[in-house]
Amino acid sequence: ATSQTTTNGRVFAAPSARRLARELGVDIGAVEGTGPGGRVTEQDVRAAAETPEEPSEDGT
Amino acid sequence: MVVGDIATGTDVLVVGAGPGGYVAAIRAAQLDLDVTLVEKDAFGGTCLNHGCIPSKALISATDLAQRVREGEHMGIHADPAIDMAGMVAWKDQVVDQLTSGVEKLCKGNGVTLMEGRAEFADEHTARIAHGGEGQGSESVEFEHAIVATGSRPIELPGFEFDGEHVLSSKEALAMDRVPSSLVVVGAGYIGMELATVFAKAGSDVTVVEALDQALPGYEADVTRVVRKRAEELGIDFHFGQAAAEWTESDDGITVVTETEEGSRSEFDAEKALVAVGRQPVTDALGLDAAGVETDGNGFVPTDDRARTDQEHIFAIGDVAGEPMLAHTAMAEGHVAAEVIAGEPAALDHQAIPAAVFTDPEIGTVGMTEAEAEDAGFEPLVGTFPLRASGRALTMDETDGFVRIVADADSEFVLGAQIVAPEASELVAEVGLAIEMGATLEDVVGTIHTHPTLSEAVMEAAANARGEAVHTLNR
Amino acid sequence: MVVGDIATGTDVLVVGAGPGGYVAAIRAAQLDLDVTLVEKDAFGGTCLNHGCIPSKALISATDLAQRVREGEHMGIHADPAIDMAGMVAWKDQVVDQLTSGVEKLCKGNGVTLMEGRAEFADEHTARIAHGGEGQGSESVEFEHAIVATGSRPIELPGFEFDGEHVLSSKEALAMDRVPSSLVVVGAGYIGMELATVFAKAGSDVTVVEALDQALPGYEADVTRVVRKRAEELGIDFHFGQAAAEWTESDDGITVVTETEEGSRSEFDAEKALVAVGRQPVTDALGLDAAGVETDGNGFVPTDDRARTDQEHIFAIGDVAGEPMLAHTAMAEGHVAAEVIAGEPAALDHQAIPAAVFTDPEIGTVGMTEAEAEDAGFEPLVGTFPLRASGRALTMDETDGFVRIVADADSEFVLGAQIVAPEASELVAEVGLAIEMGATLEDVVGTIHTHPTLSEAVMEAAANARGEAVHTLNR
Ligand SMILES: Cc1cc2nc3c(=O)[nH]c(=O)nc-3n(C[C@H](O)[C@H](O)[C@H](O)COP(=O)(O)OP(=O)(O)OC[C@H]3O[C@@H](n4cnc5c(N)ncnc54)[C@H](O)[C@@H]3O)c2cc1C
Ligand SMILES: Cc1cc2nc3c(=O)[nH]c(=O)nc-3n(C[C@H](O)[C@H](O)[C@H](O)COP(=O)(O)OP(=O)(O)OC[C@H]3O[C@@H](n4cnc5c(N)ncnc54)[C@H](O)[C@@H]3O)c2cc1C
């Protein structure tokens, strides 16, 4: 019943990066990955959290 | 204990102490919540008492006997005899050790254990009826509840379990001797695992299945390997045969089956095992009093935080639906506990592995080629046949293969289907690869020990890239 | 074939067709290089003919017999007899299947196979002496060469291998009956694996070792588990005893050992197996003619591209030094071939796993706690004892543990030490974790199949984080 990370697609990111995204309230599905093949890294998540246009703060 | 009502309060009430419930309870207690875990039958639930553990014990033991029985070409001469009562007694020891371990772990983490049957009275209260007459009942008031009541075997109409002629898996795992013959109704994973156990123990085993293959749901080339070996063990398969009724016979039981076209067949055996699926346990649980809905099949729908439609009530494990596996129950238990404790946990796993402990084992994780295609990927597939594996040859177990599925574009690993000895273990590496977003190159670039079966995973990944050394790349 | 000289040319000359050489040859051919692979004895090298494969075959077969022999408490009654000639014949079939597979794979990839002994004549020429009299020799001119000549057992002074009283591992793997008693000189991995084989086959086995523990180099708590089980199997250990000399006796052989202080002991047995290490094979190879240097121990030093000090000559596998393992040889073979083909390959692996196929197995990968500390990390360590594993209990094999080592700060996985059944397989997941830069959380966040031994890896990782469910976190 909550809006959550992945939409219909898959997110290629380690479990630790996915959890960090929830913690920081980042929609990981919208983060552009800089890792091999477009993998989303922890750094990508942190960077996304610092850019202001991502207001979603779900993720208790 | 006083007959009548004692009201206690708790942060988290966990109903059912199977792998879902006890894991949730322990994890919640670790996160400093006050936790009460109620169990009506036996700590450890189906998995430890009548499921995963007892079946794997009998599988391992009968497999050992069978392999040595077939060991002549390897220079081993033995004529093993199986004493089923002794084997079951050993299995019971294993179960006791684990279930008492679960109790100790719960207590060690500060979980309050309660024996009795829980029934919700309202959204924040449950009544616990203690077993046995005059033992009374008590009320528990909770902030949060976790429903982990599991599942039970489906009874086919006309085939009520009587423990004598018609057995469920639970009774089949507690026999005191090997039946001379057995009809297994249902070729799902439980039916196939137990058919193999009894064939290796010396029963004449017949499997009847309404659908047209063993292990419906698995790909045909996967199940073919298992069926071929099962047939070598003397198991007789009859597909497209739905069990219709049974009668007592001189030898035990005659199971009558019917095809879709209505033609009937009869199968005689000493006993019949019916393993046609499992259904959630929600009866007499008072879910409606708590305001929790169930779906048409009785399962409790949940979101990715394991929450029911009541924000403060969670459901995990078999009662929350497919996949009905112990490790799913445990993972959901973790998430429920952490969410209650305010952690940013979610059921966001990319892949849930599954194993069938047949001969050889099946281990799968993530997507098949067809599923990858359906999901919009262009699948890139690599395989490695076990007969090319040095380790498999030295184990004298060369049936099967490893298949790995990736996305052609990014080469991200999406899934694997493994039929091999230890397939249940081999999927672990692929599971981690999927969760990490690893590519085929990452798997190939990891040095794998020689000689091992895990090299086959690496070789399958290399094969997908056209650079396998131990097979000719097509 | 004409007696005398025929000169052929090739892009890549690979000398030695063990796991290093044949993998390099196949990979180079896949990359469109013209490749010639020369082997003087048997395709597949030590590993397939006298090492990894034969030893693992006898280990698996004798283990099967032993486990069923001890199966009474599990309800299995058998009195297995081992026919060593039959077991060795089966092992030979396994070897034949794999070595003929290697030849087929080489040919299928377009590698030119040549039988004969190679000796470098100069920096770009080798002379190949064909076996047998009058078979002549030929010259091969090469652009690049890969030296993959492997290793041979070290002979202790006074203990020359005679195949009769004093055996090397090669001869021990080809016996036609089980010796009534055996002295094993050296408790390294080869000595320990073979001591276990013969103890399970029924020999009276004594192990003498100059150092003070079994499997020197492994941590004490790791080797303790293996030694305890070996002692249960009846193996007698004597540490601090260096083999000094031997004499023939009525029963076979008397091995005389000496302690550091000079006190002598005698050990009688039918035969002695000497397994005190292996040394590189570089004699009569003409490395100096090719301008390739060796180090003081005869190994060929190489850089991270597997290059010797001659840019165009590579060395891989045992001849290139420690770790002398088949999978290292293969990985180096890959890199050498790819570098020659101009690919950006390098030996940049973070971790090379190693396994010892004792009872239980040992599997290690990456750093120990002490190594992590030395490398400047603050180690965070988690363990899981096998006796708490449901799968281990159902296999009736509960000796051992999984230990995982991480960096406390980043929680990056750095290594694992596993003593368990299938430890050789279980390290695969940890190896991938290390190569991927996975954290403990990533391992814990990957769902592991229940009931499996791989759950123990997850539990050890959870234990390091203080959140294990199936052990009490200290
Ligand atoms: C023969 C067999 C083999 C299996 N093998 C495997 C396998 O190898 N791997 C695998 O992953 N899965 C296996 N499974 C499935 C596995 O057992 C289940 O997925 C798992 O047990 C689900 O856990 P759970 O916690 O949801 O429920 P359960 O384990 O079913 O536990 C539920 C508990 O709740 C208790 N309970 C129910 N109602 C109440 C109430 N009102 N009050 C108090 N207590 C209550 C029950 O008594 C029970 O102890 C097997 C199942 C069977 C039958
Ligand atoms: C009993 C035993 C068990 C072992 N178990 C394992 C195990 O389980 N796992 C593991 O990883 N490792 C194991 N090893 C080690 C493993 O066998 C070696 O690490 C591996 O074989 C090294 O491969 P290589 O290609 O470098 O050399 P080798 O396999 O030794 O092959 C070298 C080849 O070169 C040929 N050769 C030498 N000189 C010439 C020449 N001048 N001209 C032509 N040909 C030549 C030789 O005949 C030989 O065939 C074991 C070893 C032994 C002895």
Side-chain angles (χ1 to χ4, degrees):
Chain A
T2 41
S3 71
Q4 236 300 114
T5 54
T6 57
T7 45
N8 50 340
R10 273 278 294 272
V11 172
F12 293 93
S16 47
R18 283 180 256 142
R19 184 182 174 103
L20 181 70
R22 278 193 298 278
E23 200 172 315
L24 300 179
V26 168
D27 174 8
I28 199 167
V31 176
E32 199 162 329
T34 62
R39 177 161 62 221
V40 178
T41 66
E42 271 190 38
Q43 285 71 16
D44 297 335
V45 172
R46 285 188 202 284
E50 277 155 26
T51 48
E53 332 112 68
E54 204 65 67
S56 157
E57 49 187 45
D58 190 358
T60 2
Chain B
M1 178 153 308
V2 185
V3 181
D5 247 42
I6 321 159
T8 50
T10 189
D11 288 347
V12 185
L13 175 68
V14 183
V15 182
Y22 81 74
V23 166
I26 290 173
R27 189 76 194 110
Q30 287 175 350
L31 295 167
D32 288 332
L33 293 161
D34 174 61
V35 183
T36 305
L37 175 61
V38 196
E39 168 58 50
K40 70 175 171 51
D41 290 337
F43 288 96
T46 302
C47 183
L48 268 65
N49 294 284
H50 316 292
C52 327
I53 295 301
S55 62
K56 267 79 263 181
L58 298 192
I59 287 166
S60 297
T62 53
D63 181 61
L64 176 57
Q66 179 64 27
R67 291 187 55 216
V68 84
R69 187 179 290 133
E70 294 178 2
E72 249 179 50
H73 69 286
M74 297 164 76
I76 308 174
H77 302 269
D79 185 17
I82 287 179
D83 152 28
M84 189 47 83
M87 195 173 280
V88 165
W90 164 71
K91 178 269 286 179
D92 287 341
Q93 277 174 29
V94 167
V95 169
D96 285 351
Q97 195 163 336
L98 286 167
T99 53
S100 75
V102 164
E103 287 202 47
K104 276 190 213 114
L105 289 164
C106 286
K107 288 180 187 154
N109 280 286
V111 173
T112 304
L113 297 179
M114 213 178 250
E115 290 176 36
R117 212 177 49 68
E119 185 172 347
F120 290 101
D122 61 37
E123 294 179 8
H124 282 282
T125 320
R127 176 169 296 269
I128 318 295
H130 298 298
E133 236 182 275
Q135 302 255 3
S137 68
E138 64 189 295
S139 278
V140 177
E141 274 170 28
F142 57 82
E143 289 288 314
H144 299 89
I146 300 178
V147 179
T149 48
S151 65
R152 64 164 70 92
I154 292 173
E155 278 187 334
L156 267 189
F159 286 81
E160 285 69 40
F161 301 122
D162 62 9
E164 168 67 23
H165 293 95
V166 181
L167 313 179
S168 71
S169 55
K170 175 172 166 176
E171 291 131 1
L173 291 166
M175 312 263 274
D176 54 9
R177 51 182 197 81
V178 179
S180 62
S181 56
L182 184 71
V183 172
V184 177
V185 177
Y189 84 93
I190 294 176
M192 287 298 293
E193 287 185 359
L194 292 177
T196 308
V197 162
F198 286 101
K200 288 179 177 174
S203 282
D204 242 322
V205 178
T206 305
V207 175
V208 298
E209 163 62 49
L211 301 177
D212 62 357
Q213 71 163 45
L215 298 167
Y218 283 92
E219 293 162 295
D221 60 351
V222 169
T223 67
R224 196 178 305 127
V225 177
V226 172
R227 177 176 159 192
K228 179 177 147 264
R229 172 72 179 135
E231 284 174 341
E232 278 168 25
L233 291 168
I235 299 176
D236 218 12
F237 286 94
H238 297 271
F239 296 105
Q241 302 279 353
E245 58 182 42
W246 67 275
T247 53
E248 232 179 290
S249 72
D250 287 354
D251 300 336
I253 182 171
T254 301
V255 174
V256 183
T257 63
E258 214 173 79
T259 63
E260 248 181 30
E261 297 79 42
S263 84
R264 297 194 145 213
S265 308
E266 296 192 348
F267 299 94
D268 292 319
E270 194 182 323
K271 289 176 189 293
L273 161 66
V274 179
V276 295
R278 298 180 61 85
Q279 62 194 11
V281 173
T282 54
D283 43 304
L285 185 59
L287 283 180
D288 35 347
V292 173
E293 307 244 321
T294 56
D295 70 13
N297 299 313
F299 292 109
V300 182
T302 51
D303 66 9
D304 70 344
R305 313 278 156 137
R307 273 189 293 237
T308 68
D309 48 9
Q310 282 283 25
E311 280 272 308
H312 67 295
I313 302 184
F314 296 70
I316 60 176
D318 284 6
V319 77
E322 294 288 351
M324 292 202 268
L325 295 167
H327 44 280
T328 314
M330 296 194 229
E332 291 169 352
H334 261 100
V335 168
E338 295 185 0
V339 169
I340 292 174
E343 306 257 322
L347 289 162
D348 66 344
H349 306 90
Q350 300 299 308
I352 299 174
V356 184
F357 292 80
T358 40
D359 185 358
E361 293 182 2
I362 298 172
T364 55
V365 61
M367 299 183 192
T368 62
E369 180 171 4
E371 286 164 353
E373 210 147 38
D374 289 347
F377 296 103
E378 191 197 318
L380 181 64
V381 175
T383 59
F384 186 77
L386 268 248
R387 61 172 189 283
S389 154
R391 184 62 179 131
L393 276 157
T394 63
M395 297 168 82
D396 199 42
E397 300 190 55
T398 52
D399 291 343
F401 58 84
V402 172
R403 177 163 52 221
I404 198 159
V405 178
D407 171 40
D409 185 36
S410 60
E411 294 206 0
F412 282 133
V413 177
L414 298 175
Q417 297 82 45
I418 304 180
V419 200
E422 309 301 339
S424 61
E425 306 292 353
L426 298 178
V427 286
E429 181 188 2
V430 185
L432 182 71
I434 296 172
E435 294 294 350
M436 289 299 297
T439 64
L440 291 171
E441 188 180 356
D442 292 328
V443 175
V444 174
T446 298
I447 300 186
H448 286 68
T449 314
H450 182 77
T452 60
L453 299 166
S454 69
E455 290 176 293
V457 172
M458 175 182 70
E459 287 279 346
N463 176 258
R465 309 187 84 212
E467 59 184 45
V469 163
H470 289 89
T471 49
L472 289 174
N473 302 287
R474 295 147 311 164
Chain C
M1 178 156 305
V2 185
V3 181
D5 247 42
I6 321 159
T8 49
T10 189
D11 288 347
V12 186
L13 175 70
V14 182
V15 182
Y22 81 74
V23 166
I26 291 173
R27 190 75 195 109
Q30 287 175 352
L31 295 167
D32 288 334
L33 293 161
D34 174 61
V35 183
T36 304
L37 174 61
V38 196
E39 168 58 50
K40 71 175 170 53
D41 289 337
F43 288 97
T46 302
C47 182
L48 269 65
N49 294 285
H50 316 291
C52 327
I53 295 300
S55 63
K56 266 79 261 181
L58 298 192
I59 288 166
S60 297
T62 52
D63 181 62
L64 176 57
Q66 180 64 26
R67 291 187 56 217
V68 85
R69 186 179 290 132
E70 293 179 2
E72 238 163 88
H73 69 287
M74 298 164 76
I76 307 174
H77 302 269
D79 185 16
I82 286 179
D83 153 27
M84 189 47 85
M87 195 173 278
V88 165
W90 164 71
K91 178 269 285 177
D92 288 340
Q93 276 173 31
V94 167
V95 169
D96 286 350
Q97 196 162 335
L98 286 168
T99 54
S100 75
V102 165
E103 286 198 46
K104 277 192 211 110
L105 289 165
C106 286
K107 288 180 187 155
N109 280 286
V111 173
T112 303
L113 296 180
M114 212 177 251
E115 290 177 36
R117 212 177 50 67
E119 185 172 348
F120 289 102
D122 61 39
E123 294 180 9
H124 282 282
T125 319
R127 178 170 295 270
I128 317 295
H130 297 298
E133 237 180 276
Q135 302 256 3
S137 69
E138 65 190 295
S139 279
V140 177
E141 274 170 29
F142 56 83
E143 288 289 312
H144 300 89
I146 300 178
V147 179
T149 48
S151 66
R152 64 164 70 91
I154 291 174
E155 278 187 335
L156 266 189
F159 286 81
E160 285 69 41
F161 301 122
D162 62 10
E164 167 67 24
H165 293 95
V166 181
L167 313 179
S168 72
S169 57
K170 175 173 166 176
E171 291 130 1
L173 291 166
M175 312 264 272
D176 54 9
R177 52 182 196 79
V178 178
S180 61
S181 55
L182 184 71
V183 172
V184 177
V185 177
Y189 84 92
I190 294 177
M192 287 298 292
E193 287 185 0
L194 291 176
T196 309
V197 162
F198 286 101
K200 289 179 177 174
S203 282
D204 243 321
V205 178
T206 304
V207 175
V208 297
E209 162 64 49
L211 301 178
D212 63 355
Q213 72 162 44
L215 297 167
Y218 283 92
E219 292 163 294
D221 60 351
V222 169
T223 67
R224 196 178 305 128
V225 177
V226 171
R227 175 175 161 192
K228 179 176 147 266
R229 173 71 179 134
E231 285 174 339
E232 278 168 26
L233 291 168
I235 298 176
D236 219 12
F237 287 94
H238 297 272
F239 296 104
Q241 302 279 351
E245 59 183 40
W246 67 274
T247 52
E248 232 178 290
S249 73
D250 286 353
D251 300 336
I253 181 170
T254 301
V255 174
V256 183
T257 62
E258 215 173 79
T259 63
E260 247 180 31
E261 297 79 42
S263 84
R264 296 195 144 214
S265 308
E266 295 192 350
F267 299 94
D268 291 317
E270 194 182 325
K271 290 175 189 296
L273 161 65
V274 178
V276 294
R278 297 180 61 85
Q279 61 193 12
V281 174
T282 52
D283 43 304
L285 185 59
L287 283 180
D288 34 348
V292 173
E293 308 244 320
T294 54
D295 70 15
N297 298 313
F299 291 110
V300 182
T302 51
D303 66 11
D304 70 346
R305 313 279 154 135
R307 272 189 295 238
T308 67
D309 48 10
Q310 282 282 27
E311 279 273 305
H312 68 296
I313 302 185
F314 296 70
I316 60 176
D318 284 6
V319 77
E322 293 288 351
M324 293 202 267
L325 295 168
H327 44 280
T328 314
M330 296 194 228
E332 292 169 352
H334 260 99
V335 168
E338 296 184 0
V339 169
I340 292 174
E343 307 256 323
L347 289 163
D348 65 347
H349 305 90
Q350 300 300 303
I352 299 175
V356 184
F357 293 79
T358 39
D359 185 358
E361 293 182 1
I362 298 173
T364 55
V365 62
M367 299 182 192
T368 61
E369 180 170 3
E371 286 164 353
E373 212 147 37
D374 289 347
F377 296 102
E378 191 197 317
L380 181 63
V381 175
T383 60
F384 186 77
L386 267 252
R387 62 173 188 281
S389 154
R391 184 62 180 130
L393 277 157
T394 64
M395 297 168 81
D396 198 42
E397 301 190 55
T398 52
D399 291 344
F401 57 84
V402 172
R403 175 163 52 221
I404 197 159
V405 178
D407 170 42
D409 184 37
S410 61
E411 293 205 1
F412 282 133
V413 176
L414 299 175
Q417 298 82 43
I418 305 180
V419 201
E422 309 302 338
S424 61
E425 306 293 350
L426 298 177
V427 286
E429 180 188 2
V430 184
L432 183 70
I434 296 171
E435 295 293 350
M436 290 296 297
T439 63
L440 292 170
E441 184 181 358
D442 293 329
V443 175
V444 174
T446 297
I447 301 185
H448 286 67
T449 315
H450 184 76
T452 60
L453 299 166
S454 69
E455 289 176 294
V457 173
M458 175 181 71
E459 287 279 347
N463 176 258
R465 309 187 83 213
E467 60 184 44
V469 162
H470 290 91
T471 50
L472 289 175
N473 303 287
R474 292 147 311 165

